[in-house]
Amino acid sequence: MAKQGRLEMDSEQHITHRKIIHIDMDAFYASVEQRDNPVYRGKAIAVGGSPEGRGGVVATASYEARKFGVRSAMPSKKALQLCPHLIFIRPRFDAYKAVSAQIREIFSRYTDLIEPLSLDEAYLDVTEDKLQIGSAIEIARQIKQAIRDELQLTASAGISINKFVAKIASDLNKPDGFTFIGPSSIENFMEGLAVEKFHGVGKVTADKMKKMGLYTGADLKRLSEQELKNYFGKVGSFYYQIVRGIDNRAVQPHRETKSLGAEDTFPVDLTTLEEMEVELEKIGQTVYNRLQRYQLKGRTITLKVKYNDFRQITRNQSFPFPVGDYETIVATAKQLLAATLADDHKIRLLGITLSNFQDNQMTDTDKANQVTQLSLFD
């Protein structure tokens, strides 16, 4: 059976010789705050927006807070209800970026094939490592130890032959986790994985799968690729591959920015188009400033609208040429807003995003150091 499984992998050009590590820092922002401020150690803290007003959101919660159910992306008000003694801390992105650079320097001792996903996680391809250690398991151990010794922080590591499995592995035993899933174990591991644990399967899709009697990877594996595409669209092919542990994506040292934007949640609902347009002008200025910082222009402008009943819509307009000037951004956002008949509703959030960027606009240094959470707090 194992031999047959290997033949199937080979027939699908499954790459099994790579050594991939996924490093994910544990409660990164909160851990940095606890490290730098002894008064916070051992306490339930949340880095993010204040629970006062309506717009605060938790970016990261310490593990002491997570015991009470506090989670990232949770409204700060709800977090405070779950954990009344929760301490809220405004984020210090400059500090987190500086620590992230130190972590990246540790990675670079072993390989130059580093693909950052955010300030606190990255893929490393150590198929051929600089120090000729030869073992991804040993390299991951050394990286975790260096982060602990030099930065007084902990990280979780997942090791496997591809990015998808390595990322899942890093999340299995947090905090301070260490999980290796070798080639011979991948298919059994994926078969036993709950569908909601598959990266790329959100809550809505997971609920749909469960209504269809699909609870685990083994359930998904019973369906043909065409059946998965019929049920879930093009992403069905992705599910067909990953449930078999197949992910041939290379680690990309310079990941390109896919989109850049800003949004704002208002303390009082907006009820007139004039009020909304004033806020769009402010948001548009923020987006324009960020585009200038990263020297980007995009072909698609997207407007995000969230109503006071938490319904959310997006509208977009694409151009045959890249745009990045303030006037075009704001004028387009206003046109998209007017088309939604926004003044018939109460609005609690507006956002503007640009995407479909021009190729080769960013330098390699910019790409390697770009911040992926531009629209959260600054």
Side-chain angles (χ1 to χ4, degrees):
M1 181 66 69
K3 182 177 180 181
Q4 181 181 355
R6 286 195 295 272
L7 288 174
E8 289 175 356
M9 287 183 182
D10 291 340
S11 68
E12 297 183 77
Q13 297 181 325
H14 186 26
I15 299 174
T16 60
H17 67 275
R18 286 183 181 147
K19 301 174 184 178
I20 307 297
I21 301 171
H22 180 258
I23 298 289
D24 191 4
M25 299 300 296
D26 299 324
F28 182 51
Y29 301 162
S31 294
V32 171
E33 296 297 342
Q34 289 180 320
R35 182 197 68 175
D36 294 349
N37 301 280
V39 69
Y40 296 143
R41 293 175 191 171
K43 295 185 178 179
I45 68 171
V47 177
S50 168
E52 298 176 3
R54 298 189 317 177
V57 175
V58 174
T60 306
S62 67
Y63 283 96
E64 293 86 354
R66 295 183 189 194
K67 293 176 182 177
F68 293 84
V70 179
R71 294 289 183 268
S72 300
M74 176 179 287
S76 297
K77 277 191 172 181
K78 181 177 180 182
L80 190 61
Q81 291 172 353
L82 293 172
C83 182
H85 59 284
L86 188 63
I87 301 171
F88 285 88
I89 303 169
R90 291 292 295 174
R92 298 182 297 136
F93 280 114
D94 287 344
Y96 310 146
K97 287 164 64 177
V99 176
S100 182
Q102 293 174 308
I103 296 167
R104 188 82 54 81
E105 189 279 324
I106 293 174
F107 295 161
S108 67
R109 300 171 192 174
Y110 300 90
T111 180
D112 291 326
L113 295 178
I114 303 165
E115 180 180 336
L117 302 180
S118 62
L119 294 178
D120 63 343
E121 64 175 318
Y123 292 113
L124 288 70
D125 187 328
V126 295
T127 308
E128 296 180 5
D129 66 280
K130 290 180 178 180
L131 303 182
Q132 298 184 338
I133 295 172
S135 167
I137 294 174
E138 178 58 26
I139 292 170
R141 284 199 180 105
Q142 291 188 20
I143 288 174
K144 279 171 54 69
Q145 192 63 47
I147 290 173
R148 182 187 296 276
D149 292 345
E150 299 174 30
L151 305 177
Q152 294 77 54
L153 297 169
T154 64
S156 293
I159 307 102
S160 192
I161 61 171
N162 63 49
K163 292 162 69 172
F164 188 87
V165 180
K167 184 171 175 65
I168 291 178
S170 70
D171 196 44
L172 290 180
N173 297 300
K174 291 178 75 70
D176 201 18
F178 188 92
T179 305
F180 167 68
I181 302 175
S184 62
S185 305
I186 288 178
E187 287 209 56
N188 285 339
F189 172 76
M190 299 303 288
E191 288 175 1
L193 200 66
V195 292
E196 60 266 27
K197 296 292 186 181
F198 281 71
H199 296 292
V201 176
K203 185 179 185 302
V204 173
T205 302
D207 289 343
K208 178 180 178 180
M209 288 179 173
K210 290 176 181 178
K211 289 178 181 177
M212 297 169 58
L214 305 173
Y215 296 94
T216 66
D219 295 329
L220 286 175
K221 199 171 181 180
R222 288 198 296 267
L223 300 178
S224 69
E225 182 173 3
Q226 188 56 54
E227 286 175 318
L228 287 169
K229 289 169 69 175
N230 289 343
Y231 292 133
F232 303 106
K234 292 181 180 180
V235 74
S237 294
F238 171 70
Y239 299 152
Y240 181 84
Q241 295 287 318
I242 61 170
V243 77
R244 290 163 174 77
I246 300 172
D247 178 10
N248 293 336
R249 294 174 300 158
V251 171
Q252 302 174 14
H254 306 305
R255 299 176 75 245
E256 292 187 4
T257 302
K258 300 300 183 183
S259 64
L260 186 153
E263 61 185 40
D264 195 8
T265 301
F266 312 112
V268 178
D269 293 333
L270 307 182
T271 57
T272 69
L273 192 59
E274 290 76 16
E275 292 175 326
M276 300 170 198
E277 289 185 341
V278 168
E279 296 301 332
L280 282 180
E281 290 170 1
K282 297 176 185 176
I283 296 169
Q285 185 65 56
T286 301
V287 173
Y288 171 73
N289 292 341
R290 292 172 183 172
L291 290 170
Q292 291 295 298
R293 185 191 315 172
Y294 292 93
Q295 299 181 345
L296 289 170
K297 292 183 178 181
R299 291 183 173 85
T300 301
I301 296 175
T302 300
L303 171 74
K304 176 180 176 181
V305 180
K306 184 180 289 186
Y307 302 114
N308 69 333
D309 60 1
F310 289 89
R311 288 184 302 115
Q312 181 175 302
I313 64 168
T314 58
R315 297 290 185 268
N316 64 72
Q317 179 174 332
S318 293
F319 296 82
F321 50 85
V323 298
D325 60 286
Y326 171 79
E327 292 77 12
T328 301
I329 293 169
V330 173
T332 303
K334 288 180 177 180
Q335 290 173 1
L336 293 170
L337 179 68
T340 69
L341 302 176
D343 51 355
D344 290 341
H345 305 277
K346 294 181 179 180
I347 305 297
R348 65 175 274 119
L349 176 148
L350 290 171
I352 303 173
T353 301
L354 262 76
S355 57
N356 292 334
F357 296 127
Q358 278 183 299
D359 296 334
N360 303 320
Q361 285 186 296
M362 298 174 72
T363 66
D364 287 347
T365 300
D366 288 334
K367 290 177 182 177
N369 293 292
Q370 61 190 299
V371 180
T372 61
Q373 295 179 323
L374 294 171
S375 63
L376 283 179
F377 298 103
D378 60 339

